[in-house]
Amino acid sequence: MGAEPTLEQRLRSCQRSAVHLELRDCYMRSDPRFIAWQNGVRNAPEDNDPALRPWLTLVAELVGRGVEIRRARIVSEPVSDYIEFEHHVTDANVTAGEQVRWLPRRQASDIALPGNDCWILDDRLVVFHHFGGDGELAPDDETFTDDPATVKLCSSAFEAVWERAVPHTEYHPARRR
């Protein structure tokens, strides 16, 4: 039996939509871009240049062939330093064609949410991401399912969050003072 396709391969096979629900306040604190940002580096080429940030090229490619890409982030407020960084670098995602919205966690209390971040691809497949408590990827960082009940739960959760969330250009994160 062959290896499972990667998330990138699955995204490239999308025909209509790829939506991503993010639930954590901290990811990959070891990311060199985050470390540079913490040290005062803003608008580094690797944040905005598709040649240095392959995700931006992939988004532009998918959107260019008609795939709608949406990302909804549920965040605690005041936001963590990582979410502040994420907000700062999201302009490039939006420029590439990704639609991004933010929902303060307090406004998500009555939404049934999956236990992990997930991608829902073409309303038929869910890719779950698994992280350790420190925000780093777990050794078994992705699992996939096409179980209809799971796809329905994740799709419903995403759409409920999307309805309430604030578009990226209008969201101003509450910061610690």
Side-chain angles (χ1 to χ4, degrees):
M1 179 151 183
E4 286 280 346
T6 64
L7 175 61
E8 181 178 343
Q9 291 167 330
R10 290 181 189 274
L11 285 165
R12 288 185 186 284
S13 72
C14 283
Q15 301 299 310
R16 297 178 316 282
S17 66
V19 301
H20 191 193
L21 181 58
E22 294 183 5
L23 307 167
R24 299 179 56 90
D25 288 318
C26 175
Y27 297 89
M28 310 294 293
R29 294 181 69 83
S30 63
D31 179 348
R33 290 177 31 229
F34 174 62
I35 294 167
W37 183 87
Q38 283 185 301
N39 291 320
V41 176
R42 302 293 190 268
N43 301 316
E46 55 271 15
D47 292 340
N48 304 302
D49 183 348
L52 300 173
R53 194 169 158 207
W55 173 252
L56 302 176
T57 301
L58 178 59
V59 168
E61 173 192 317
L62 294 172
V63 169
R65 62 179 176 77
V67 176
E68 180 180 54
I69 302 197
R70 297 184 291 156
R71 180 185 308 259
R73 293 176 168 143
I74 297 176
V75 297
S76 299
E77 291 184 322
V79 298
S80 68
D81 58 346
Y82 191 89
I83 295 299
E84 232 180 297
F85 159 73
E86 222 173 32
H87 187 268
H88 178 78
V89 299
T90 296
D91 287 339
N93 294 54
V94 172
T95 298
E98 188 175 340
Q99 300 171 59
V100 180
R101 291 187 181 180
W102 303 80
L103 182 65
R105 190 170 310 281
R106 290 176 183 260
Q107 296 175 28
S109 295
D110 62 344
I111 299 173
L113 297 168
N116 293 290
D117 288 17
C118 61
W119 280 95
I120 303 112
L121 307 178
D122 286 335
D123 295 314
R124 63 174 180 74
L125 176 73
V126 174
V127 180
F128 287 109
H129 290 283
H130 304 288
F131 297 89
D134 60 358
E136 298 297 322
L137 286 169
D140 57 341
D141 63 334
E142 292 179 352
T143 54
F144 310 93
T145 183
D146 59 1
D147 171 64
T150 304
V151 172
K152 183 178 179 181
L153 168 76
C154 294
S155 294
S156 295
F158 180 87
E159 293 305 331
V161 170
W162 188 258
E163 263 316 294
R164 293 183 190 179
V166 178
H168 174 70
T169 56
E170 298 170 25
Y171 180 67
H172 305 287
R175 294 176 170 88
R176 292 198 188 282
R177 295 286 173 227

